[in-house]
């Protein structure tokens, strides 16, 4: 089991980004940050920050994984998105760890080899 202290923000809304009338993508608005803990083990990922969105999800339920220089985002079931800023750790290191665990879970479940983790998890 691995865990890290994080600042947790949950997506509260999403807006379309258009340029010259053409949809180019979407931008998320994140809710208020709260201190919390990210925990992962061989079976699941857990985010705990004392709010109702906190919870545990099996690796097979994680829909996408994306890191930036300062945070890690996980797309979760029910169209939830969580952003995690690490207090004493590297988002890149955690991205690699979670990708590895998710890929192992897909292989164990016979769902194929993961070849892409964002904008959604894709297998071959």
């Amino acid at each position: 089991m691995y865990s890290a202290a994080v600042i947790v923000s949950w997506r509260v809304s999403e807006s379309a980004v258009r340029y010259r009338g053409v949809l180019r993508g979407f931008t998320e608005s994140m809710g208020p940050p709260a201190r919390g803990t990210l925990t992962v083990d061989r079976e699941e990922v857990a985010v705990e920050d004392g709010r109702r969105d906190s919870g545990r999800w099996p690796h097979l339920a994680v829909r996408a994984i994306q890191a930036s220089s300062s945070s890690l985002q996980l797309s979760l079931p029910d169209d939830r998105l969580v952003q995690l800023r690490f207090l004493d750790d590297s988002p890149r290191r955690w991205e690699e760890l979670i990708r590895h665990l998710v890929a192992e879970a897909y292989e164990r479940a016979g769902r194929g080899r993961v070849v892409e983790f964002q904008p959604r998890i894709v297998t071959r």
Side-chain angles (χ1 to χ4, degrees), residues 58-94:
H59 293 308
L60 293 176
V62 176
R63 297 174 41 214
I65 304 164
Q66 181 176 1
S68 70
S69 62
S70 63
S71 65
L72 177 69
Q73 288 185 340
L74 301 176
S75 179
L76 299 167
D78 298 327
D79 200 34
R80 287 182 284 177
L81 178 76
V82 63
Q83 180 171 284
L84 306 159
R85 292 189 184 272
F86 294 84
L87 297 176
D88 295 318
D89 215 327
S90 159
R92 178 71 179 135
R93 188 174 83 82
W94 275 87

Side-chain angles (χ1 to χ4, degrees), residues 10 27 32 51 69 87 92-93 98 102 124:
W10 295 90
T27 184
R51 295 184 277 196
S69 62
L87 297 176
R92 178 71 179 135
R93 188 174 83 82
I98 295 173
V102 166
R124 281 194 205 248

Side-chain angles (χ1 to χ4, degrees), residues 8-13 29-34 47-49 51-55 57 74 76 80-84:
V8 181
S9 298
W10 295 90
R11 177 180 56 203
V12 293
S13 66
S29 295
M30 304 308 285
V47 176
E48 181 56 53
D49 66 0
R51 295 184 277 196
R52 66 176 179 83
D53 288 320
S54 295
W57 300 271
L74 301 176
L76 299 167
R80 287 182 284 177
L81 178 76
V82 63
Q83 180 171 284
L84 306 159

